[in-house]
Amino acid sequence: MKLVIAVVQDKDSNRLLNALVEKDFRATKLASTGGFLKAGNTTFLIGVEDAKIPHLLEIIKQNCESRDQLVAPVSPLGGSADSYVPYPVEVQVGGATVFVLPVEQFVQY
Amino acid sequence: MKLVIAVVQDKDSNRLLNALVEKDFRATKLASTGGFLKAGNTTFLIGVEDAKIPHLLEIIKQNCESRDQLVAPVSPLGGSADSYVPYPVEVQVGGATVFVLPVEQFVQY
Amino acid sequence: MKLVIAVVQDKDSNRLLNALVEKDFRATKLASTGGFLKAGNTTFLIGVEDAKIPHLLEIIKQNCESRDQLVAPVSPLGGSADSYVPYPVEVQVGGATVFVLPVEQFVQY
Ligand code: NI
Ligand code: NI
Ligand code: NI
């Protein structure tokens, strides 16, 4: 048994939770703020048998991997016209920071 | 020293916290949602000396163990009359998922 | 790699977060309530390479160590005049409870 702690972006957290439930992984979501990733993020606690770690990591990667996203230009209200970029720009979104922790004892009541 | 992470139902969390405080265990509550247990739940972090682990687990079990509870019938407002059950039904409530983690270093400032 | 879990008082948490960011430590803040310390508190998750543990602990100590603070007297509105103390009193504030946990696997996506 391992305890996996995964910090992911809020925007990916529901998709990840659905994928985990569908594959019968048991996860708890903690509210978290700031930190490893730039935007608001969510911390998952996932209890998992050793043999299923690779599959779990694959699911986290598929749903949360850092990627570039095109963002539409915003009109420069109140900003400098000099810095206005009149075409979509790529920003990095997503990302996951994952710790796999050893567990000495696991019990359910 | 161990770090015990316990996920319990919200409805049991205050009773558990009171029992822990009364027995001089030191716990921190984290807000958590969904996951290991069906309803809203609470995650406890409890730092504990090795020798006191059995007592701590006993307290968690006593206050949070999964049990059946009779629920009074609800009138079938907006529901199908076919599925209406006019007598109390048993539902499972409570439950605890507990991880005992090894600690390499423990400090207090 | 280690995972450091630090529970500190709310009033010290922003100062600690700023100090961590300035020194390139990567931390996530979890909302937490009650517990190890008397007042509202915040739980930090900090992933850190083994060699940097002493520096991290030093930063936590510098920003969160338990200390006495003078509190100005409050007029005894609605309280007993007998218990009114007309001079500043010292109260203990701050404090940190820190767990250093072993990590079996650390991945970022
Ligand atoms: Ni798969
Ligand atoms: Ni007992
Ligand atoms: Ni230093």
Side-chain angles (χ1 to χ4, degrees):
Chain A
M1 176 67 60
K2 297 286 180 285
L3 178 63
V4 171
I5 298 184
V7 182
V8 309
Q9 277 200 354
D10 285 345
K11 67 180 302 176
D12 294 334
S13 69
N14 279 333
R15 187 172 52 182
L16 176 58
L17 185 59
N18 290 339
L20 292 173
V21 168
E22 192 190 325
K23 299 294 187 184
D24 281 331
F25 286 98
R26 296 154 70 84
T28 288
K29 271 171 67 177
L30 303 177
S32 55
T33 58
F36 292 114
L37 308 163
K38 288 144 215 152
N41 56 54
T42 302
T43 298
F44 284 83
L45 302 182
I46 310 162
V48 61
E49 292 153 45
D50 297 36
K52 292 182 181 167
I53 292 280
H55 192 191
L56 172 59
L57 295 180
E58 174 199 322
I59 292 172
I60 295 173
K61 185 180 180 188
Q62 280 170 357
N63 287 281
C64 305
E65 194 168 20
S66 179
R67 67 269 182 194
D68 290 330
Q69 194 172 62
L70 282 180
V71 173
V74 180
S75 63
L77 280 177
S80 159
D82 291 345
S83 65
Y84 177 59
V85 184
Y87 44 83
V89 291
E90 275 191 351
V91 295
Q92 202 179 44
V93 297
T97 299
V98 185
F99 302 90
V100 180
L101 305 182
V103 172
E104 286 203 356
Q105 199 178 344
F106 172 70
V107 278
Q108 285 181 292
Y109 295 120
Chain B
M1 176 65 61
K2 297 287 181 284
L3 178 63
V4 171
I5 299 184
V7 183
V8 310
Q9 277 201 354
D10 286 346
K11 66 180 302 175
D12 294 334
S13 69
N14 279 334
R15 187 172 52 181
L16 176 58
L17 185 59
N18 290 340
L20 292 173
V21 168
E22 193 190 321
K23 298 294 186 184
D24 279 332
F25 286 98
R26 295 152 70 83
T28 288
K29 270 172 67 178
L30 303 176
S32 55
T33 59
F36 291 112
L37 307 164
K38 289 145 214 154
N41 56 55
T42 300
T43 298
F44 285 83
L45 302 182
I46 310 162
V48 60
E49 291 154 46
D50 298 36
K52 292 182 181 165
I53 292 280
H55 192 191
L56 172 59
L57 295 181
E58 174 198 322
I59 293 172
I60 295 173
K61 185 180 180 189
Q62 278 170 356
N63 287 282
C64 305
E65 194 169 19
S66 178
R67 66 269 182 194
D68 290 329
Q69 195 172 63
L70 281 180
V71 173
V74 180
S75 62
L77 280 177
S80 158
D82 292 344
S83 65
Y84 176 59
V85 183
Y87 44 83
V89 290
E90 275 191 352
V91 295
Q92 202 179 44
V93 297
T97 300
V98 185
F99 302 91
V100 180
L101 304 181
V103 171
E104 287 203 356
Q105 200 177 345
F106 172 70
V107 279
Q108 285 182 291
Y109 296 119
Chain C
M1 176 65 60
K2 297 286 180 285
L3 178 63
V4 171
I5 299 184
V7 182
V8 309
Q9 276 201 355
D10 287 345
K11 66 180 303 176
D12 294 334
S13 70
N14 279 334
R15 187 173 53 181
L16 176 58
L17 186 59
N18 290 340
L20 292 173
V21 168
E22 193 191 321
K23 299 295 187 183
D24 280 332
F25 286 98
R26 296 152 71 81
T28 289
K29 270 172 66 177
L30 302 176
S32 54
T33 59
F36 292 114
L37 308 164
K38 289 145 214 151
N41 56 54
T42 301
T43 298
F44 284 84
L45 303 181
I46 310 162
V48 61
E49 291 153 45
D50 298 35
K52 293 182 181 166
I53 292 281
H55 192 189
L56 172 58
L57 294 180
E58 175 198 320
I59 293 171
I60 295 173
K61 185 179 181 189
Q62 280 170 356
N63 287 281
C64 305
E65 194 168 20
S66 179
R67 67 269 182 195
D68 289 330
Q69 195 171 62
L70 281 180
V71 173
V74 180
S75 64
L77 279 178
S80 158
D82 292 345
S83 66
Y84 177 60
V85 183
Y87 44 82
V89 290
E90 275 191 351
V91 295
Q92 201 179 45
V93 297
T97 299
V98 185
F99 302 91
V100 180
L101 305 181
V103 172
E104 287 204 356
Q105 199 177 345
F106 172 70
V107 280
Q108 286 181 292
Y109 295 120

